[in-house]
Amino acid sequence: INAEYMGLIKVQLPLLYNGSKSNGNWELSMIEGMMGISVFLDDVSLFNHAVDFWRERIPAYFYNVEDGSEPKHAPRGNPSWYGQKEFDDKTSGHCQETCRDLGHTGYGFAAGINAAETAYIQGVDLYREEANRLTKAMEYNTNFLNGNPIPSYVCGGKLDIKDPMTFEIGYNAYANRLNYSLPNTLEYIEKYVRTSQKPYDLHMMIYETLTHGGDPQ
């Protein structure tokens, strides 16, 4: 391995290894980074560590009605849900950062899905483990991204709609591979992601259609 790569890894990995007590998109990005480094180094222990962190953070980042009347506690820290009060079947899929804005929600979702995709390639199917939670999160948040009315029980009826330009990899995994029906997600991808004439920003999501648009393999 090139010494420059190893030097970079030695600097970055300690900053990622213990996760974050802040918003979930931070730790999910750290998990994605650890997952990639573990594969690059063929480090099984680091890979398993990243998988464990994913299994802890995803349920604490996306609420599912099966969690009860409140979301699961974060594994590290106590990040805000930004004023969301109602947790029930109507808000199943709500993200810890939905009421912050849907841009940061997208960052967290994209990082978590990227980690799941890396694990899938390595033979660990995290997608199936959290299929119910993640598909609900996709449909719930893209419903608002598609311009539908925001009810009063979601963030007090107000949302900061910042297009995250993601969901392509998640849609490919769940709709194309596993045959889930995700109409809200498909509508968002077709209207906004695949038709974009320029990158939304320089985050990792800009390549999703190129690498995973309609490619179940």
Side-chain angles (χ1 to χ4, degrees):
I1 299 174
N2 186 293
E4 293 181 359
Y5 287 142
M6 286 306 302
L8 180 62
I9 289 170
K10 287 179 180 179
V11 171
Q12 292 294 326
L13 184 55
L15 302 177
L16 307 178
Y17 193 82
N18 293 317
S20 170
K21 295 179 181 180
S22 188
N23 287 304
N25 85 84
W26 282 33
E27 182 160 275
L28 287 166
S29 296
M30 293 174 169
I31 292 166
E32 179 189 358
M34 286 192 287
M35 193 83 74
I37 291 171
S38 73
V39 173
F40 181 72
L41 296 179
D42 196 20
D43 187 331
V44 175
S45 177
L46 179 59
F47 177 82
N48 290 337
H49 174 73
V51 167
D52 288 343
F53 267 40
W54 191 95
R55 287 171 170 157
E56 293 174 348
R57 179 60 72 167
I58 287 291
Y61 193 59
F62 299 107
Y63 169 74
N64 189 338
V65 65
E66 295 173 358
D67 299 336
S69 60
E70 61 180 32
K72 290 182 178 292
H73 295 293
R76 284 155 286 283
N78 187 30
S80 172
W81 283 75
Y82 294 92
Q84 178 63 23
K85 303 297 184 183
E86 187 166 336
F87 296 95
D88 54 27
D89 59 335
K90 298 189 300 295
T91 57
S92 196
H94 193 94
C95 174
Q96 179 250 311
E97 296 187 85
T98 294
C99 293
R100 179 186 185 188
D101 63 70
L102 293 181
H104 285 91
T105 297
Y107 296 158
F109 179 83
I113 287 294
N114 286 348
E117 184 73 2
T118 299
Y120 178 81
I121 294 168
Q122 299 302 310
V124 177
D125 195 348
L126 297 176
Y127 285 121
R128 290 182 187 271
E129 290 185 21
E130 289 292 355
N132 184 269
R133 186 182 304 274
L134 289 173
T135 53
K136 285 182 178 177
M138 293 166 68
E139 288 293 279
Y140 178 88
N141 288 283
T142 54
N143 176 57
F144 304 127
L145 285 165
N146 288 331
N148 292 309
I150 302 160
S152 60
Y153 55 80
V154 175
C155 309
K158 296 181 180 179
L159 272 178
D160 187 350
I161 306 292
K162 292 181 179 178
D163 283 317
M165 303 302 283
T166 186
F167 301 108
E168 189 83 82
I169 299 175
Y171 184 83
N172 185 60
Y174 286 116
N176 295 337
R177 288 185 193 144
L178 298 175
N179 297 315
Y180 278 79
S181 176
L182 302 170
N184 294 340
T185 307
L186 180 60
E187 179 182 348
Y188 177 72
I189 290 171
E190 290 185 333
K191 280 187 176 180
Y192 301 104
V193 177
R194 295 177 182 172
T195 59
S196 178
Q197 297 300 306
K198 59 182 180 180
Y200 172 70
D201 60 18
L202 296 180
H203 285 77
M204 65 287 193
M205 296 90 75
I206 62 174
Y207 299 110
E208 289 189 6
T209 300
L210 176 65
T211 60
H212 289 78
D215 181 13
Q217 298 303 316

